């Protein structure tokens, strides 16, 4: 029986590794052992994935007192809920992707490669073969980028920005040694802004440390950079984000066909999200026209200091009627900047973060003037993708 053979294989491997001493093998043998064990890991991941689907459909997880199949998988595999959910989703997708499933089950794909290809090929089945070929020759990072571009091209989902925004989160917890760990999920444009600011500040901190003769890893300074963002007086380089986008898509406001709009290192984003990146710092839109870079557009919309000062004096609280929030206010373009709204005091207002998000992502609008502001949501926006603003 299959279960007996797997039990025997596990027992054999456990015995072999129990007494394993890396110092007792030569360099070549250590490298070969690593590669063989990596293949075993890929095979084990494949088996775990395909059998997790059977556990899900059997309902065994419910009989054993778990609230969901994902919780059962997370506990039994000693993994996170996020990883368990991804495993189950990949297992479902593989049922419709026999070529990817075969490559996974024969050890040609890692769990991460299989997960990325399954997601992309489910959105665009015709891309499955080319993605499997890429997996054989490309790095995992490059494969991930290709898969995300396939999904972006295949879906052109008008509601993707809102869905990603609604799924955002930030979590933190304290580990046994007292260290605080962070985990978060952001929209591509928000993630790009945060990464650009943190990386710029980290490089500045590293350069300062080098001058004093005590440099550390860049990752350590990136952590310091994030902490510095909590200080309103923190200074550092402004965010510079490079968006690569087809010229026609930039002018149109959305991508079509094989056109791309992406941030290197982040992946595909919508054109509207790319335009919103002009909210802070400087955005460089690299406009591609076929194989040539046609132009680099600097899209900063910095608010002059005198206008900011006047606005802060005028709008002491969030201008939405009934909202008295005074802290953490954000400046909003009443007529969105991306549709030509000017950066003048007559077109600016201060909103609390909640109402700013409602206006940007949920279709609410602001109209009127100081002392007579009107906050409303047009009926036409209900059930439709809300207008984007900033």
């Amino acid at each position: 029986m299959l279960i007996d053979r797997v039990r025997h294989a596990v027992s054999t491997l456990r015995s072999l590794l129990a007494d394993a001493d890396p110092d007792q093998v030569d360099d070549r043998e250590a490298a070969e052992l690593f590669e063989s064990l990596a293949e075993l890991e890929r095979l084990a991941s494949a088996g775990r994935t395909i059998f997790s689907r059977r556990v899900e459909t059997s309902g065994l997880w419910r009989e054993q007192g778990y609230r969901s199949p994902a919780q059962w998988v997370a506990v039994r595999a000693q993994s996170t809920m996020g990883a368990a959910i991804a495993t189950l989703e990949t297992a479902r997708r593989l049922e419709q992707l026999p070529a990817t499933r075969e490559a996974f089950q024969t050890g040609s794909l890692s769990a991460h490669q299989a997960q990325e290809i399954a997601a992309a090929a489910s959105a665009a089945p015709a891309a499955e073969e080319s993605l499997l070929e890429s997996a054989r020759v490309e790095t995992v990072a490059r494969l991930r980028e290709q898969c995300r571009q396939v999904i972006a091209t295949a879906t052109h989902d008008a509601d993707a920005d809102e869905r990603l925004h609604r799924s955002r989160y930030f979590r933190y917890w304290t580990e046994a040694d007292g260290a605080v760990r962070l985990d978060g999920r952001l929209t591509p444009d928000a993630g790009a802004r945060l990464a650009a600011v943190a990386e710029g500040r980290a490089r500045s901190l590293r350069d300062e440390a080098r001058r004093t003769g005590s440099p550390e890893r860049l990752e350590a300074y990136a952590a310091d950079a994030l902490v510095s963002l909590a200080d309103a007086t923190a200074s550092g380089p402004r965010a510079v984000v490079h968006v690569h986008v087809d010229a026609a898509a930039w002018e149109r406001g959305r991508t079509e066909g094989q056109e791309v709009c992406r941030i290197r290192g982040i992946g595909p984003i919508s054109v509207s999200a790319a335009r919103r990146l002009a909210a802070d710092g400087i955005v460089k839109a690299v406009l591609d026209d076929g194989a040539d870079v046609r132009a680099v557009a600097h899209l900063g919309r910095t608010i002059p200091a005198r206008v900011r000062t006047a606005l802060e004096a005028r709008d002491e609280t969030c201008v939405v009627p009934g909202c008295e929030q005074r802290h953490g206010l954000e400046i909003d373009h009443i007529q969105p900047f991306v549709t030509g709204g000017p950066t003048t005091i007559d077109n600016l207002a201060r909103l609390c973060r909640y109402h700013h998000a409602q206006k940007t992502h949920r279709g609410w609008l602001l109209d009127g003037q100081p002392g007579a502001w009107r906050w409303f949501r047009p009926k036409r926006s209900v059930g439709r993708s809300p207008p984007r603003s900033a």
Side-chain angles (χ1 to χ4, degrees):
M1 293 179 64
L2 177 61
I3 183 62
D4 293 329
R5 294 166 64 186
V6 170
R7 286 171 179 164
H8 177 71
V10 170
S11 178
T12 300
L13 184 60
R14 184 184 296 113
S15 298
L16 290 172
L17 292 179
D19 300 320
D21 184 353
D23 294 331
Q24 299 302 312
V25 299
D26 61 35
D27 295 346
R28 292 183 179 278
E29 187 177 358
E32 186 175 347
L33 281 167
F34 177 90
E35 292 177 358
S36 295
L37 290 169
E39 183 177 5
L40 280 173
E41 183 178 21
R42 293 194 297 272
L43 291 168
S45 294
R48 186 177 61 186
T49 299
I50 62 174
F51 285 111
S52 71
R53 177 61 173 151
R54 179 60 184 275
V55 171
E56 180 182 31
T57 57
S58 71
L60 179 66
W61 52 273
R62 186 180 295 106
E63 296 175 11
Q64 295 185 358
Y66 294 92
R67 66 174 178 268
S68 68
Q71 186 190 34
W72 187 95
V73 170
V75 171
R76 297 308 176 101
Q78 299 180 31
S79 67
T80 64
M81 280 292 289
I85 292 170
T87 294
L88 289 167
E89 183 62 32
T90 299
R92 297 186 201 107
R93 289 168 170 162
L94 288 176
E95 292 180 342
Q96 306 301 319
L97 301 168
T100 303
R101 175 168 174 156
E102 180 181 2
F104 193 21
Q105 287 186 235
T106 55
S108 298
L109 298 178
S110 68
H112 193 81
Q113 288 174 312
Q115 178 181 329
E116 295 287 348
I117 293 175
S122 294
E128 182 180 15
E129 184 177 347
S130 64
L131 292 175
L132 288 172
E133 177 60 31
S134 293
R136 286 190 281 270
V137 297
E138 300 284 1
T139 64
V140 173
R142 176 60 182 153
L143 175 65
R144 183 193 304 117
E145 185 176 334
Q146 291 180 8
C147 289
R148 291 179 181 176
Q149 186 59 56
V150 166
I151 294 172
T153 300
T155 57
H156 289 298
D157 188 352
D159 295 325
D161 279 357
E162 181 183 356
R163 187 169 59 254
L164 288 176
H165 176 74
R166 289 170 65 86
S167 70
R168 71 196 185 284
Y169 68 79
F170 172 74
R171 301 172 184 148
Y172 63 92
W173 65 95
T174 303
E175 296 189 315
D177 63 356
V180 175
R181 289 284 300 277
L182 312 176
D183 181 39
R185 176 180 170 87
L186 302 172
T187 57
D189 51 322
R193 277 167 41 204
L194 178 62
V197 171
E199 289 173 3
R201 176 64 176 159
R203 286 191 292 269
S204 178
L205 293 172
R206 182 185 60 185
D207 291 343
E208 293 175 10
R210 282 176 173 171
R211 286 192 288 270
T212 64
S214 58
E216 295 182 71
R217 295 176 298 115
L218 184 61
E219 291 87 347
Y221 295 119
D224 294 339
L226 284 177
V227 173
S228 76
L229 296 179
D231 184 355
T233 64
S235 62
R238 297 170 65 203
V240 178
V241 178
H242 293 80
V243 179
H244 292 258
V245 57
D246 285 278
W250 182 262
E251 294 169 1
R252 187 188 309 113
R254 65 182 186 281
T255 57
E256 292 183 355
Q258 299 298 314
E259 292 173 345
V260 301
C261 181
R262 64 184 179 85
I263 299 172
R264 185 170 298 171
I266 297 293
I269 66 170
S270 67
V271 175
S272 60
R275 288 177 169 180
R276 289 200 305 275
L277 279 171
D280 296 300
I282 298 172
V283 174
K284 292 183 179 179
V286 182
L287 306 180
D288 296 309
D289 190 358
D292 300 322
V293 175
R294 196 178 80 177
V296 177
H298 295 255
L299 306 170
R301 53 170 164 178
T302 301
I303 298 172
R306 57 184 175 78
V307 175
R308 185 183 295 271
T309 299
L311 190 63
E312 290 174 351
R314 189 193 75 185
D315 301 339
E316 296 183 357
T317 65
C318 174
V319 302
V320 172
C323 182
E324 298 297 325
Q325 180 67 17
R326 292 178 175 272
H327 303 291
L329 300 183
E330 300 174 348
I331 297 176
D332 174 73
H333 283 70
I334 300 170
Q335 178 188 349
F337 179 83
V338 296
T339 60
T343 303
T344 61
I345 193 167
D346 292 336
N347 191 50
L348 298 175
R350 297 178 79 203
L351 301 175
C352 67
R353 292 180 180 178
Y354 172 77
H355 285 122
H356 199 186
Q358 291 290 94
K359 184 173 182 289
T360 301
H361 298 284
R362 300 297 296 160
W364 286 83
L365 297 178
L366 178 69
D367 196 8
Q369 57 188 346
W373 292 111
R374 191 164 70 96
W375 179 250
F376 63 100
R377 189 182 189 190
K379 291 182 179 180
R380 66 178 180 274
S381 70
V382 177
R384 299 176 58 186
S385 180
R388 307 300 185 195
S389 63

